């Protein structure tokens, strides 16, 4: 099995790439895994981050992105659970030729060591800022806090095997992903 991580900084277009790839491959998303795991929390260090018994990601985001100590505490809770789920996905899908798992914080954690190849989705910072503000209804300051909490794109690109730029249209992104898939198929046939 070829284990490929999909990553990219916030609002780069990872979800769109996942949708395109999922037409041909099994694709998993650790963000969805994290949200399920967060809903199992009974409390978060005494802070009210729940609405109707479900984790309120907006409340949690405002809390942890403004408090590095709480951000680290949250990561110490959730990252081991996500790693466990990634390993479970690999075990349950061991007969697949290729498996993709989207991991937004791939390089901020040690998760990159679990994968054979890394696909990085890149987008200009101003475009990501605009997308993030619209998508999450954030102020510029709150969006920048999230963007700046991640390692720079440039540093991550150096550590990635493949890079797809997502600075234009969804149609163009789909073309880029299809080019990547062709490269991938030729790689597999070489083995």
């Amino acid at each position: 099995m070829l284990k490929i991580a999909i990553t990219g900084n916030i609002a780069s277009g990872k979800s769109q790439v996942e949708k395109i790839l999922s037409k041909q491959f099994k694709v998993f998303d650790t963000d969805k895994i994290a949200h399920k795991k967060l809903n199992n929390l009974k409390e978060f260090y005494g802070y009210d981050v729940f609405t109707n018994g479900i984790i309120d990601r907006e409340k949690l985001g405002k809390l942890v992105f403004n408090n590095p100590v709480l951000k680290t505490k949250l990561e110490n809770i959730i990252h081991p659970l996500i790693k466990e789920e990634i390993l479970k996905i690999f075990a349950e899908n061991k007969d697949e030729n290729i498996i993709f798992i989207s991991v937004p914080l791939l390089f901020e954690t040690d998760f990159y060591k679990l994968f054979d190849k890394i696909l990085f989705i890149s987008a200009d910072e101003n475009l990501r800022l605009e997308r993030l503000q619209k998508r999450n209804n954030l102020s510029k300051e709150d969006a920048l806090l999230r963007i700046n909490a991640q390692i720079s794109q440039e540093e991550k690109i150096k550590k990635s095997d493949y890079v797809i730029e997502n600075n234009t249209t969804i149609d163009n992104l789909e073309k880029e992903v299809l080019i990547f898939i062709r490269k991938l198929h030729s790689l597999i046939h070489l083995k």
Side-chain angles (χ1 to χ4, degrees):
M1 173 192 346
L2 188 60
K3 298 173 277 198
I4 303 176
I6 304 167
T7 195
N9 283 14
I10 195 164
S12 61
K14 293 179 299 296
S15 297
Q16 281 300 116
V17 172
E18 289 174 46
K19 285 179 192 172
I20 298 164
L21 287 169
S22 67
K23 294 174 186 173
Q24 296 184 43
F25 304 99
K26 283 195 173 182
V27 179
F28 299 88
D29 182 349
T30 58
D31 263 354
K32 290 177 182 166
I33 293 167
H35 300 158
K36 285 180 188 172
K37 298 292 181 184
L38 285 171
N39 282 331
N40 292 334
L41 292 178
K42 299 297 178 227
E43 63 163 24
F44 185 65
Y45 297 101
Y47 291 92
D48 178 23
V49 293
F50 293 88
T51 301
N52 299 324
I54 296 173
I55 198 85
D56 186 323
R57 291 172 44 213
E58 187 177 330
K59 281 183 185 177
L60 183 64
K62 283 185 178 181
L63 181 67
V64 300
F65 283 105
N66 286 304
N67 187 326
V69 172
L70 286 178
K71 183 174 177 285
T72 299
K73 285 182 176 185
L74 178 63
E75 289 168 347
N76 289 339
I77 292 169
I78 205 73
H79 289 172
L81 298 173
I82 292 171
K83 186 174 186 176
E84 184 180 300
E85 287 298 315
I86 290 171
L87 295 173
K88 190 187 294 184
I89 289 167
F90 290 155
E92 291 171 355
N93 294 277
K94 64 181 182 265
D95 295 332
E96 295 292 322
N97 287 331
I98 302 171
I99 192 161
F100 288 91
I101 301 181
S102 178
V103 188
L105 298 178
L106 184 74
F107 295 110
E108 287 81 357
T109 61
D110 65 349
F111 296 168
Y112 67 93
K113 296 175 185 175
L114 303 173
F115 293 89
D116 301 312
K117 299 286 179 189
I118 297 167
L119 170 61
F120 188 83
I121 312 308
S122 170
D124 292 338
E125 186 171 324
N126 287 337
L127 183 57
R128 290 187 298 114
L129 178 62
E130 183 183 312
R131 287 175 183 165
L132 185 58
Q133 285 180 265
K134 276 185 194 169
R135 183 186 78 192
N136 293 33
N137 195 27
L138 296 173
S139 67
K140 184 175 182 179
E141 294 74 27
D142 284 342
L144 283 170
L145 275 173
R146 286 166 168 77
I147 286 173
N148 294 329
Q150 294 182 310
I151 297 169
S152 76
Q153 284 195 129
E154 293 74 23
E155 193 174 329
K156 292 178 180 183
I157 286 171
K158 291 176 190 173
K159 298 176 181 180
S160 298
D161 299 290
Y162 307 100
V163 178
I164 292 176
E165 288 191 14
N166 183 24
N167 290 317
T168 59
T169 64
I170 291 176
D171 285 342
N172 191 59
L173 178 62
E174 187 152 1
K175 288 176 191 169
E176 293 297 317
V177 173
L178 293 175
I179 290 168
F180 163 73
I181 290 171
R182 282 197 294 277
K183 286 180 188 174
L184 197 56
H185 281 301
S186 66
L187 174 73
I188 291 166
H189 292 307
L190 291 175
K191 286 188 171 184

